[in-house]
Amino acid sequence: MGLRTLLLTMTVDNIAQMSCNPAVGGVAKGHLVKEIDALGGLMAMIADETGIQFRRLNTSKGAAVQATRCQSDMLAYKIRMKNQLEATPNLKILQREVRALIRAGNRVEGVITHMDEEIRCGAVIITTGTFLNGLIHIGKKKFPAGRAWEFSSSALSEDLQNNGLLMGRLKTGTTPRLNNIRLIFLCWRNSRAICLFRLFHFGVSCHITYTNPQGHHIIAENLDRSAMYGGEITSVGPRYCPSIEDKIVKFPDKSQHQIFLEPTSLDSIEIYPNGMSTSMPFDVQLQFMRSIRGLENVEIIRPGYAIEYDFCFPHQLKLTLEAKDTENLFLAGQINGTTGYEEAAAQGLIAGINAALKVMNKNELILKRSESYIGVLIDDLISKGTEEPYRMFTSRAEYRLMLREDNADRRLCQKGYDIGLLGQRKYDIFCEKQSRMKKLHDYLSTEKYRPDEQAIAAFAHEELELIPETAELSAYLKKPGFSLPLMEKYLPKSYTETLREWNDTEKQSVEADIRYEGYLKRQESQLKSYLRIEAVRLPADINYDAVAGLSNEIREKLKKHRPQTLGQANRISGVTPAAITILQIYLRKKDRAGELTAS
Amino acid sequence: MCNMRWQSNYYYCRHWIRMLCQECLSFVAHMYGCKNPSLSCRWQFKHFWSFRQMPAYSDVLYLAKNHAASGIVHLPVFIARITSRNMCSTALAQQGTTIFALSSGHGKCGVAVIRISGPHTQFVVQRIGRFLKLPLARNAVLRHLTDPESGSPIDRGLVLWFPGPQSFTGEDCAEFHVHGGPAVVGALLQTLARFPGCCAAEPGEFAKRAFINGKLDLTEVEGLGDLIHAETEAQMRQALRQMEGDLSKLYTDWRERLIKCVAKIEAFIDFSEDQNIEDDVIETVNTEINVLTRELQSHLNDNRRGERLRGGVHVTILGEPNVGKSSLLNAICQRPAAIVTPIAGTTRDIIETAINLGGYPVLLSDTAGLRETEDLVEKEGIERALKRAKQTDIIVLVLEAKHILQQLSSGKGNFCMSEFVEKHLKDLGLKVGTKSKQEISDDKPDREQHRDQNSSVNSRRNELIARAAYNRTDHECIHSDSYGTVQQHQQDPESFPVNCTTQQDKSEFIPDLIMILNKSDILTDRDKEELRHFLSYASMQTGNLTSLMNENSVCILSCRDGEGFQHFLQVLKDRVESLCTNPLAAVPSLTQVRHRSHLENCVRHLMSYQDKLQEEDYVLAAQALRKALREIGKLTGKITSEDILDVIFRDFCIGK
């Protein structure tokens, strides 16, 4: 967006370090990546360039939840990303630790580094990951670290608290990294190899193996030596990334757990055993790993660990990710209580955009729940808060049908372009694609079709119900069982030749549009009422004590969260629809009273 | 008009019948119940305008939906247009909701006022009041109000039409002033609830709408907040009261099971690609949803209660000749409606009287005494009596008290009451409880019949709850058979009929039974004592007709001196009431109408889940389940996506 930007990091080499599994995307996460891309972010591009395996997930479960996931080359990703950043105009990268903020009243005007420099700026974005007061646990051993063997940062956390931000503590963890030379590939009874995407050079494989009762026994016996169960860690970890000891304790009936053995990089012998995050002491880790079939001789290159870190309760932020009480201070990533690369990237992007917009005195960019997963992510954090590291799921999005991966560009590219983040070239490509897709959509919804006898027989054979009269192609596509590829098989030549103009991705996307049209229309009324109350802004200085009729519990909640809009207030847990009406009434009353005194 | 555009001229449709497409034509034929659709257009025209037989609403919507794709104006759309000038049925579904509520107080009162507000008001008024043209605004009009779906009358009452914005809420409003009986109010509320886009108002919603449309001034606005608050509290207390006991358990149980299903399907969507979610997860969800759908359906099936409320509960007096049936009728309706003589076989035809029993309409029938006879007239009368017995809701079986005593002394202690009643009924030509077997046996497996038998002797409410419970307990059904032994039946969930409605309608023919031991005045005190003693003993016996034997089902009375008559009247009242009320059905409380419509919606969503699954779109399927869950959530409390996530992480081992 053309502003001069300074990136301060504790280790320049570790920018874009994948500290956990070497993968980008997944169900819901893939959606986030596409949205980041549509707004002009880098993640998708770099992931494309450094991926070693790409997969479409959920291909048989409905268009809305189909997603992309790629296995990344961890080292290549990091280097490629660093190159890209270094080549970015107006971006300077320095290796410094930030110790404190420079404040003037309730504004932030810059930062102080551990070299005692004072750096002044228009806005500060803090993305500390797990580094704030990071404490690594391996069994009973613990030591401060931001990530495996990197320094942690304690001064900044203290400074933020002094600035009035309420901080809490969360936990996450990662698996040991194994040595692939000692893996025994031949004798795995339960394994199946998934061949990774082959580039021109040699391919790599990803294997699956399973834990077994002996291994579970080892864990169970040493449970009191684990950091989690030995009482060392009290903070909350994500339920969806449980450690192996969690899995064994909570699901004692399961005799085995699945492990994906993923290569971390084409240039490295390290293997990431997906699903084996642990806080056990090192000797137990090794013993356990070696109890697994195929891993009998394995070495642990890097031990797995659990890490506790400080985060800031996200209800103290606005939807722009700016702190409610401290102007020009933006927070993004794990410091807001999320987990995952994609979630962090999405927030980083929104915080960055809004910081820039603020410096330029432009209108803020807030994505709605109905238009993006990013909107859902940020709104969830701010309206509902989080008790555990927050990860994106498709089930969190109530407008899931509208938020498909393949229409992320249509939803967001225009916005990315308007704020000046999406390059002209990419925007042109987008516009062309849109017009082509519109043409296809028009074609499908106007072109009439009546199946000939051969087609009727074929459809009957597939047990599909036909439309008795001549109907548009789109009418057929809306019927269960019909799909464009299927119809193309039986359509007369004149149709198929026209359809050849478009590629498969475009066709799929338009087909999904047509299929969901009816449902989306039905959702519209719901959407309208959502947008209506979303548009009502609550003044920052609203005095909830003066609002008659609110219960004390709700009053406390509103005071704590200080929602910016009525819609947000509605989503705070425990706030009833009746309370929303009462607020509405209060606002209207205030308006009228204002009008009266003015006249 | 299938192939031409409708112009806003009523008379244009004079020849509409000629222009219908085949489907619409057969639809019209079906509508009038005639097989030959090519009747004269004049005939059709006349009947069409009489508005007597408007097509069922669901049919209209169905056809409209099917035809929407072609873009041609079809009959259903046309009907919707002429009944409501600017509204076509698809537009109906899209606009905002219309709310209704009983605005006068609950309970029995002279006049009840039911208020409607919202965009569909005009349509609703025209359909219920059968108005060709809307009444003058803000003028009271006396109309017959009917249920447009079944065409059955509800009441005669005043209709007031307030077109927006000059109305209380600023929207189109209307008021129905009807008689204040629970039956009428209940029927009207239920009828309203069946209109698409109409739902029972939330507390304070009328005021809220008025406020949103700027209809309240500053002082009123101030009070409104408190009002909503207070009403919410009151509603909560009311809900809490209702939610105690079995019903609450039932709803909570449904909700929990549904959450599990949603969680499973969500887990399948979000995690099945890289976590080892069991493959059979969808299978288990399907099975569970099937079971749930059936439970909800059978719970909702109100056993014609609404109809009973409107048309009255049918009570039929049966018995041998000259046991005092007609005297009983006269005593109940407090006038000499039937001729009473000491000659056996005085009553030949069925004598019907409509009475009001505790606020509920009752249609009381006296019948010819049942016996073998050669008299043609009497034979016909007996046949009619038996036929009536099959259609009735409650049978009042009249016996002479002396008769029982004789049996008792001759049986020398081995006399079994239940066997006697069974035998007696059989002798009379009635087969209570077993009759349904013959009717249903061709399309139902054995265990169904047992269930039906069960239901005949239990009150219907208990049956519903019991059935839900029995589905839960591993589909095992325990009931005692006529020999008093306990049998266990393994129930296969699949054997439960998917379409409960038709099945229920058949099992419906098993009437309740009240036994009268008449002519207690000719007994000695000692005899009476013995009889009572025996009855209380008999009530402890196990038998197929056990519940008939309890103190509430057998009444000793005398029509002559009125002894025991009040007790009998109370028993009858209770029975009638239990037939008309149901935790959900026709009780005219708004909350219950709301409950019902939530549950109905829930079933609809569950059905659509099954459709979507066949299309292999799990997202839409999951959406349908979520909608279903939201409906039940409205009955028990709120649900957020966190609830579902909780279950996912509790039940599935997910993690990288």
Side-chain angles (χ1 to χ4, degrees):
Chain A
M1 294 164 77
L3 295 182
R4 288 198 308 140
T5 312
L6 173 66
L7 194 156
L8 297 175
T9 169
M10 291 173 71
T11 324
V12 171
D13 287 337
N14 287 345
I15 289 175
Q17 166 83 27
M18 293 179 148
S19 42
C20 204
N21 65 329
V24 171
V27 181
K29 286 169 174 265
H31 292 76
L32 281 173
V33 177
K34 290 255 180 180
E35 288 175 8
I36 292 168
D37 184 48
L39 284 172
L42 286 178
M43 189 175 218
M45 187 179 93
I46 308 289
D48 278 349
E49 287 175 17
T50 58
I52 46 181
Q53 184 211 24
F54 292 86
R55 271 176 75 197
R56 284 294 283 167
L57 307 176
N58 276 351
T59 43
S60 59
K61 292 181 202 150
V65 293
Q66 290 186 14
T68 320
R69 180 183 137 107
C70 96
Q71 200 66 38
S72 287
D73 184 321
M74 209 165 120
L75 297 175
Y77 184 88
K78 175 168 132 178
I79 292 169
R80 183 71 192 78
M81 186 64 95
K82 192 177 163 222
N83 287 344
Q84 188 68 34
L85 291 182
E86 283 168 345
T88 306
N90 290 326
L91 179 67
K92 193 154 72 172
I93 303 171
L94 295 178
Q95 181 158 316
R96 301 279 196 283
E97 183 192 339
V98 172
R99 304 201 73 94
L101 300 172
I102 305 172
R103 292 170 54 102
N106 64 347
R107 299 162 58 91
V108 168
E109 296 193 327
V111 294
I112 303 171
T113 69
H114 70 315
M115 298 286 111
D116 296 328
E117 298 158 284
E118 282 198 5
I119 302 171
R120 304 248 159 209
C121 57
V124 177
I125 305 164
I126 301 181
T127 58
T128 53
T130 57
F131 280 69
L132 280 189
N133 276 334
L135 185 66
I136 283 186
H137 296 261
I138 301 174
K140 298 281 173 193
K141 284 195 174 61
K142 50 186 165 185
F143 47 92
R147 185 156 56 192
W149 291 269
E150 289 182 54
F151 292 117
S152 71
S153 158
S154 55
L156 183 59
S157 176
E158 205 170 298
D159 189 66
L160 288 176
Q161 285 188 48
N162 290 341
N163 277 319
L165 284 177
L166 202 59
M167 310 287 281
R169 231 161 144 66
L170 289 175
K171 172 255 155 187
T172 185
T174 191
T175 71
R177 307 298 195 276
L178 308 176
N179 178 335
N180 79 356
I181 297 172
R182 313 283 291 265
L183 299 182
I184 305 167
F185 285 105
L186 294 174
C187 61
W188 301 358
R189 204 176 38 199
N190 280 333
S191 77
R192 98 187 124 94
I194 298 168
C195 196
L196 293 191
F197 179 71
R198 275 167 204 272
L199 299 168
F200 284 116
H201 56 276
F202 64 91
V204 247
S205 303
C206 171
H207 291 268
I208 294 177
T209 183
Y210 296 91
T211 60
N212 53 42
Q214 291 93 315
H216 293 190
H217 186 67
I218 295 172
I219 299 270
E221 258 194 356
N222 293 295
L223 210 53
D224 56 334
R225 292 179 64 204
S226 99
M228 302 259 306
Y229 287 87
E232 303 290 323
I233 299 180
T234 46
S235 43
V236 191
R239 287 173 300 180
Y240 22 81
C241 300
S243 59
I244 183 67
E245 48 265 40
D246 267 344
K247 291 184 186 179
I248 287 163
V249 171
K250 287 185 186 150
F251 298 93
D253 314 341
K254 287 202 142 195
S255 62
Q256 58 172 39
H257 294 278
Q258 184 177 258
I259 309 174
F260 284 97
L261 296 172
E262 301 168 349
T264 54
S265 165
L266 295 176
D267 298 326
S268 161
I269 58 165
E270 279 180 62
I271 291 285
Y272 177 93
N274 197 338
M276 293 296 109
S277 159
T278 178
S279 67
M280 287 308 237
F282 181 71
D283 59 311
V284 182
Q285 288 186 18
L286 190 62
Q287 219 186 329
F288 173 68
M289 282 299 161
R290 287 185 172 173
S291 76
I292 295 166
R293 214 167 156 70
L295 307 182
E296 285 89 348
N297 296 323
V298 88
E299 294 282 358
I300 290 183
I301 297 181
R302 308 176 197 219
Y305 60 85
I307 181 166
E308 283 187 288
Y309 56 95
D310 287 353
F311 81 109
C312 160
F313 288 105
H315 66 78
Q316 305 169 80
L317 303 178
K318 296 181 193 168
L319 286 170
T320 56
L321 295 179
E322 188 182 9
K324 278 176 184 157
D325 291 324
T326 316
E327 221 179 311
N328 300 336
L329 176 66
F330 293 79
L331 305 182
Q334 272 168 306
I335 192 174
N336 291 343
T338 61
T339 172
Y341 310 136
E342 301 80 1
E343 287 85 349
Q347 290 173 70
L349 188 64
I350 295 298
I353 288 172
N354 280 306
L357 289 171
K358 176 135 198 195
V359 170
M360 295 190 287
N361 265 330
K362 286 188 184 165
N363 282 340
E364 59 200 19
L365 175 80
I366 292 173
L367 300 181
K368 294 186 202 75
R369 291 184 79 90
S370 54
E371 67 186 359
S372 65
Y373 274 93
I374 300 182
V376 174
L377 166 73
I378 295 178
D379 187 72
D380 270 353
L381 283 177
I382 284 158
S383 312
K384 294 182 185 157
T386 182
E387 304 284 316
E388 62 178 334
Y390 179 102
R391 179 180 151 185
M392 201 62 208
F393 305 115
T394 65
S395 59
R396 295 196 195 261
E398 54 273 57
Y399 302 101
R400 178 159 65 182
L401 279 182
M402 305 186 185
L403 308 179
R404 305 197 310 267
E405 248 195 15
D406 63 72
N407 66 13
D409 49 359
R410 180 154 26 121
R411 289 184 273 125
L412 298 176
C413 270
Q414 190 61 45
K415 294 203 161 156
Y417 179 72
D418 290 344
I419 53 171
L421 205 55
L422 194 70
Q424 186 64 45
R425 209 182 115 254
K426 270 178 111 176
Y427 182 68
D428 290 341
I429 296 173
F430 159 73
C431 290
E432 208 225 310
K433 187 181 158 202
Q434 279 324 107
S435 68
R436 283 169 57 81
M437 285 181 36
K438 176 145 194 329
K439 228 171 99 189
L440 177 58
H441 193 283
D442 290 347
Y443 175 75
L444 289 176
S445 39
T446 49
E447 195 65 26
K448 299 260 200 246
Y449 167 61
R450 180 168 205 135
D452 52 30
E453 266 168 37
Q454 192 193 348
I456 290 175
F459 290 141
H461 181 70
E462 308 247 358
E463 292 181 6
L464 296 173
E465 196 189 323
L466 287 168
I467 301 172
E469 43 213 287
T470 312
E472 292 83 11
L473 285 168
S474 60
Y476 272 96
L477 289 178
K478 278 178 194 163
K479 288 191 79 89
F482 282 94
S483 70
L484 206 49
L486 174 84
M487 291 189 60
E488 268 180 283
K489 274 195 241 167
Y490 305 111
L491 282 175
K493 227 174 175 183
S494 59
Y495 293 90
T496 45
E497 251 157 37
T498 331
L499 283 172
R500 209 168 286 155
E501 267 179 54
W502 293 278
N503 64 33
D504 285 348
T505 352
E506 288 164 344
K507 280 184 203 160
Q508 275 166 20
S509 185
V510 172
E511 203 185 326
D513 280 342
I514 289 173
R515 181 155 302 149
Y516 286 138
E517 245 165 22
Y519 300 99
L520 296 186
K521 243 175 225 155
R522 243 168 279 167
Q523 246 185 5
E524 244 163 42
S525 65
Q526 192 193 340
L527 184 65
K528 259 186 213 152
S529 73
Y530 157 72
L531 291 179
R532 201 169 49 230
I533 67 165
E534 207 61 33
V536 179
R537 293 202 145 259
L538 291 170
D541 59 343
I542 185 167
N543 178 7
Y544 290 109
D545 289 322
V547 184
L550 287 179
S551 75
N552 274 339
E553 188 199 341
I554 291 175
R555 203 168 277 159
E556 287 311 312
K557 285 211 161 124
L558 289 170
K559 275 191 209 167
K560 181 183 162 204
H561 285 271
R562 280 182 296 157
Q564 289 169 277
T565 66
L566 210 52
Q568 242 185 313
N570 194 19
R571 283 189 294 279
I572 297 171
S573 71
V575 174
T576 58
I580 294 301
T581 315
I582 291 170
L583 276 179
Q584 237 171 333
I585 291 165
Y586 175 77
L587 291 177
R588 183 79 66 95
K589 203 171 98 185
K590 252 182 80 174
D591 282 356
R592 288 203 199 168
E595 277 166 30
L596 282 180
T597 48
S599 63
Chain B
M1 68 252 47
C2 282
N3 291 314
M4 65 177 67
R5 305 200 64 172
W6 165 246
Q7 297 170 7
S8 59
N9 174 359
Y10 287 174
Y11 299 98
Y12 183 70
C13 64
R14 202 175 275 269
H15 303 291
W16 59 278
I17 196 80
R18 290 186 186 154
M19 298 156 206
L20 293 178
C21 75
Q22 198 54 45
E23 196 179 350
C24 287
L25 195 63
S26 51
F27 173 72
V28 170
H30 173 73
M31 197 167 108
Y32 296 121
C34 69
K35 289 194 180 97
N36 177 13
S38 59
L39 279 169
S40 84
C41 113
R42 207 182 158 76
W43 185 88
Q44 297 278 8
F45 183 75
K46 203 172 93 196
H47 281 75
F48 189 74
W49 286 108
S50 75
F51 278 80
R52 274 255 166 72
Q53 281 179 306
M54 289 304 281
Y57 215 69
S58 49
D59 290 347
V60 174
L61 286 184
Y62 169 78
L63 274 176
K65 201 179 86 192
N66 273 9
H67 288 173
S70 59
I72 306 165
V73 179
H74 278 258
L75 175 71
V77 181
F78 164 77
I79 291 171
R81 281 198 187 161
I82 54 170
T83 43
S84 160
R85 244 164 295 161
N86 306 317
M87 239 176 264
C88 76
S89 51
T90 43
L92 264 180
Q94 278 167 11
Q95 290 173 349
T97 52
T98 295
I99 49 170
F100 59 87
L102 178 63
S103 296
S104 53
H106 288 279
K108 267 172 97 174
C109 50
V111 176
V113 178
I114 288 157
R115 201 183 245 177
I116 318 173
S117 168
H120 310 162
T121 307
Q122 189 184 354
F123 187 76
V124 172
V125 167
Q126 285 189 317
R127 292 298 304 274
I128 290 184
R130 296 198 290 161
F131 286 105
L132 204 55
K133 251 170 79 181
L134 275 170
L136 264 179
R138 293 174 294 280
N139 272 297
V141 185
L142 186 65
R143 296 294 286 194
H144 284 283
L145 307 178
T146 50
D147 178 351
E149 211 164 310
S150 63
S152 58
I154 300 170
D155 193 15
R156 220 158 90 98
L158 293 179
V159 181
L160 285 112
W161 158 241
F162 306 95
Q166 287 111 315
S167 68
F168 167 54
T169 59
E171 302 172 319
D172 283 354
C173 278
E175 280 176 15
F176 291 113
H177 296 213
V178 292
H179 295 104
V184 170
V185 174
L188 187 53
L189 289 179
Q190 277 201 347
T191 306
L192 286 171
R194 273 201 294 271
F195 277 90
C198 287
C199 58
E202 301 288 329
E205 206 174 347
F206 279 96
K208 192 171 130 190
R209 290 190 177 203
F211 158 71
I212 288 170
N213 293 321
K215 282 281 167 182
L216 298 180
D217 70 20
L218 201 58
T219 47
E220 281 172 317
V221 169
E222 230 161 287
L224 186 60
D226 294 332
L227 172 80
I228 290 176
H229 182 61
E231 280 201 46
T232 318
E233 296 283 298
Q235 188 205 7
M236 249 166 60
R237 274 199 302 277
Q238 189 187 5
L240 275 178
R241 265 203 307 275
Q242 274 176 345
M243 292 314 289
E244 277 164 15
D246 299 340
L247 209 53
S248 138
K249 268 194 218 129
L250 197 61
Y251 290 162
T252 322
D253 174 65
W254 280 340
R255 176 167 173 266
E256 273 163 16
R257 283 157 69 197
L258 203 49
I259 288 183
K260 279 209 166 154
C261 291
V262 176
K264 278 179 184 161
I265 230 181
E266 292 292 354
F268 182 71
I269 288 173
D270 269 342
F271 304 107
S272 68
E273 284 284 347
D274 36 33
Q275 307 295 335
N276 46 342
I277 303 276
E278 293 80 352
D279 298 331
D280 60 349
V281 110
I282 294 296
E283 288 293 301
T284 49
V285 171
N286 285 349
T287 324
E288 180 73 0
I289 293 295
N290 276 337
V291 174
L292 262 176
T293 315
R294 279 182 220 133
E295 281 177 31
L296 271 143
Q297 276 172 337
S298 58
H299 182 76
L300 273 174
N301 190 328
D302 65 350
N303 284 333
R304 265 179 49 230
R305 277 185 183 83
E307 233 175 279
R308 278 202 192 102
L309 265 180
R310 285 190 292 274
V313 177
H314 290 242
V315 176
T316 306
I317 304 174
L318 285 175
E320 289 177 331
N322 215 12
V323 288
K325 296 184 294 295
S326 299
S327 314
L328 188 66
L329 177 86
N330 291 348
I332 295 174
C333 58
Q334 294 167 345
R335 66 187 168 90
I339 303 166
V340 178
T341 67
I343 304 158
T346 307
T347 311
R348 298 280 176 99
D349 207 349
I350 293 170
I351 296 171
E352 283 184 353
T353 7
I355 56 166
N356 179 333
L357 207 61
Y360 297 99
V362 171
L363 193 69
L364 197 61
S365 318
D366 182 23
T367 60
L370 304 173
R371 62 169 174 184
E372 292 289 324
T373 178
E374 294 302 315
D375 184 339
L376 267 180
V377 182
E378 197 181 349
K379 216 172 183 176
E380 174 64 26
I382 289 171
E383 249 162 54
R384 284 185 184 195
L386 290 176
K387 203 172 152 202
R388 175 59 57 98
K390 282 183 188 172
Q391 297 162 347
T392 194
D393 297 312
I394 299 175
I395 290 180
V396 176
L397 182 65
V398 184
L399 280 89
E400 274 186 47
K402 219 168 61 190
H403 186 65
I404 293 273
L405 272 176
Q406 279 162 1
Q407 291 281 334
L408 201 56
S409 50
S410 67
K412 291 181 186 111
N414 291 329
F415 173 67
C416 174
M417 190 69 177
S418 56
E419 277 172 25
F420 166 75
V421 174
E422 233 175 316
K423 189 171 166 290
H424 187 72
L425 286 173
K426 220 173 168 181
D427 290 345
L428 293 176
L430 281 166
K431 288 172 191 166
V432 176
T434 51
K435 176 177 44 167
S436 65
K437 210 179 240 178
Q438 294 163 344
E439 285 185 14
I440 300 164
S441 56
D442 25 21
D443 54 4
K444 265 199 216 174
D446 258 12
R447 34 182 111 81
E448 276 303 312
Q449 296 152 18
H450 287 295
R451 194 171 56 74
D452 284 338
Q453 274 179 328
N454 254 6
S455 66
S456 74
V457 291
N458 286 333
S459 95
R460 279 166 173 77
R461 175 186 171 162
N462 286 343
E463 178 210 335
L464 291 173
I465 292 159
R467 196 181 309 165
Y470 112 111
N471 267 330
R472 269 202 305 284
T473 54
D474 297 324
H475 317 298
E476 277 175 12
C477 170
I478 303 170
H479 74 90
S480 42
D481 65 6
S482 49
Y483 304 102
T485 56
V486 172
Q487 286 190 342
Q488 235 175 23
H489 290 268
Q490 278 295 329
Q491 285 278 339
D492 174 16
E494 299 308 315
S495 72
F496 227 100
V498 179
N499 188 353
C500 278
T501 345
T502 54
Q503 304 285 358
Q504 282 295 315
D505 286 344
K506 285 185 184 173
S507 64
E508 185 49 38
F509 290 113
I510 309 149
D512 265 354
L513 195 97
I514 299 176
M515 215 161 93
I516 303 290
L517 305 183
N518 196 12
K519 304 190 183 172
S520 67
D521 48 315
I522 54 172
L523 296 184
T524 60
D525 282 352
R526 216 182 123 251
D527 284 345
K528 276 186 217 168
E529 195 51 44
E530 194 186 336
L531 198 55
R532 284 210 184 92
H533 179 75
F534 169 72
L535 286 176
S536 65
Y537 165 72
S539 72
M540 300 191 346
Q541 285 181 320
T542 49
N544 196 15
L545 297 165
T546 312
S547 71
L548 298 178
M549 295 304 109
N550 66 34
E551 51 192 327
N552 282 332
S553 296
V554 184
C555 303
I556 306 168
L557 62 83
S558 158
C559 290
R560 185 171 297 165
D561 61 14
E563 187 197 1
F565 185 73
Q566 283 309 318
H567 175 236
F568 160 71
L569 222 50
Q570 192 55 47
V571 169
L572 188 61
K573 244 184 235 176
D574 290 347
R575 285 291 180 91
V576 167
E577 198 172 335
S578 83
L579 278 178
C580 290
T581 54
N582 150 292
L584 284 187
V587 181
S589 140
L590 205 55
T591 338
Q592 277 147 346
V593 175
R594 192 154 48 214
H595 279 195
R596 199 182 165 81
S597 73
H598 285 322
L599 287 179
E600 271 166 4
N601 289 339
C602 186
V603 171
R604 225 184 49 232
H605 294 313
L606 290 181
M607 303 275 222
S608 96
Y609 162 81
Q610 283 153 355
D611 293 348
K612 296 302 173 234
L613 212 59
Q614 277 172 5
E615 293 170 33
E616 288 219 328
D617 197 321
Y618 293 95
V619 182
L620 292 179
Q623 182 136 330
L625 280 197
R626 276 174 178 249
K627 281 184 187 159
L629 188 57
R630 202 175 306 143
E631 297 292 341
I632 291 201
K634 283 178 187 164
L635 297 179
T636 56
K638 235 184 157 184
I639 168 138
T640 65
S641 73
E642 287 296 327
D643 285 350
I644 295 167
L645 289 178
D646 283 343
V647 179
I648 293 182
F649 298 124
R650 198 178 62 221
D651 290 359
F652 293 98
C653 181
I654 283 159
K656 49 180 181 176

